[in-house]
Amino acid sequence: MKHSTLATCSLLLVAPLVLAERPNIGSVVRHDAALDKLLAKDAKIEVLASGFVWSEGPVWDKANKRLLWSDVPANTIYQWSEDKEGHSVFMSPSGYTGITGGYPEPGSNGLTFDAKGRLLACEHGDRRVTALTPLGGKVTLADNYDGKRLNSPNDLAVHSSGAIYFTDPPYGLPHPEAKELDVNGVYRLSPDGTLTLLTDQAGPNGLAFSPDESRLYVADSTRGVWMVYDVAEDGSLSEGVALLDSSGV
């Protein structure tokens, strides 16, 4: 998700105008009237927090009414809530617990919650996908494929079946020689723990399901292309089709 709109040094929120005085930035451009059903006409883009190296993986924690996000180079997850002044550290380290240096982007990247209320994280430095339970324990969900360590899991999305789909580019590796796999894969982690390689891209990054989960969209940031795949009943993917060439955007 490094190259998404939120991969900046500030965290932004599009929200109706409120009493709290926060800096505004940019403007909302409405290309489709349907956006009015999602955003108030007086919605402003507010800066909630700033001063980060680059921010990633924002997710709303409904249970605790707070926003969580990763600062990947800082190896930290931060938190923000409406009823507290400013932001604070939620977890550090967030993605690398080792002692070896040389990791320019060691922290967590994509974050989301599963149906059990666990915070799922893609961890660059520790090269794994993890789950943080509501009581605070952390478990590793996936860290290898065919006996070889994953590259640096980047982003993830949870299917209603409970399966976790995630991307695994090499962006978080300390050097090319650390790469053990020949692929930069898009994977499916089934509820029973089976990890399946679905497809290989040059640089799989952000991903998301269509509302009915019939399609999976995956951004290939190396090629600057957004790919779309049909999702079969067994969770596998069709051959991808280029949806948008964003290389010139």
Side-chain angles (χ1 to χ4, degrees), residues 5-189:
T5 304
L6 283 170
T8 64
C9 293
S10 300
L11 196 75
L12 312 178
L13 173 70
V14 178
L17 193 61
V18 294
L19 296 178
E21 291 294 331
R22 302 190 186 102
N24 292 156
I25 187 172
S27 61
V28 179
V29 179
R30 300 169 188 266
H31 294 291
D32 192 320
L35 185 62
D36 294 338
K37 297 180 180 180
L38 301 175
L39 296 180
K41 292 185 178 181
D42 62 346
K44 305 293 183 181
I45 303 176
E46 300 176 344
V47 179
L48 300 184
S50 60
F52 312 107
V53 185
W54 51 271
S55 308
E56 275 288 0
V59 63
W60 183 252
D61 180 358
K62 293 181 181 179
N64 296 288
K65 298 181 180 180
R66 62 187 173 189
L67 184 69
L68 302 174
W69 70 93
S70 303
D71 186 340
V72 185
N75 200 13
T76 301
I77 295 175
Y78 289 96
Q79 60 184 345
W80 173 93
S81 61
E82 186 75 51
D83 59 353
K84 294 182 180 180
E85 183 70 24
H87 63 280
S88 61
V89 172
F90 172 75
M91 180 187 297
S92 184
S94 66
Y96 184 52
T97 55
I99 59 175
T100 303
Y103 285 83
E105 300 174 0
S108 62
N109 197 314
L111 306 173
T112 193
F113 284 92
D114 65 8
K116 299 177 182 179
R118 302 183 302 177
L119 176 65
L120 307 183
C122 289
E123 301 187 4
H124 274 192
D126 285 340
R127 301 166 71 166
R128 61 181 180 170
V129 177
T130 61
L132 185 69
T133 68
L135 296 179
K138 181 185 284 191
V139 294
T140 298
L141 301 179
D143 62 3
N144 73 90
Y145 178 72
D146 277 350
K148 297 180 180 180
R149 296 187 70 188
L150 296 174
N151 300 321
S152 55
N154 185 280
D155 196 15
L156 72 174
V158 180
H159 190 270
S160 60
S161 66
I164 301 169
Y165 289 67
F166 68 91
T167 56
D168 187 42
Y171 304 140
L173 293 177
H175 48 76
E177 292 75 19
K179 182 178 172 64
E180 297 182 13
L181 291 163
D182 295 329
V183 298
N184 299 322
V186 179
Y187 294 90
R188 178 183 186 271
L189 181 64

Side-chain angles (χ1 to χ4, degrees), residues 154-237:
N154 185 280
D155 196 15
L156 72 174
V158 180
H159 190 270
S160 60
S161 66
I164 301 169
Y165 289 67
F166 68 91
T167 56
D168 187 42
Y171 304 140
L173 293 177
H175 48 76
E177 292 75 19
K179 182 178 172 64
E180 297 182 13
L181 291 163
D182 295 329
V183 298
N184 299 322
V186 179
Y187 294 90
R188 178 183 186 271
L189 181 64
S190 67
D192 67 7
T194 302
L195 186 62
T196 304
L197 175 64
L198 300 175
T199 188
D200 178 21
Q201 290 188 0
N205 204 310
L207 77 170
F209 287 103
S210 61
D212 62 1
E213 299 184 325
S214 65
R215 292 183 172 183
L216 180 70
Y217 303 94
V218 183
D220 188 323
S221 56
T222 298
R223 296 189 298 136
V225 175
W226 296 4
M227 301 294 294
V228 57
Y229 303 87
D230 291 329
V231 182
E233 290 187 7
D234 64 359
S236 61
L237 302 181

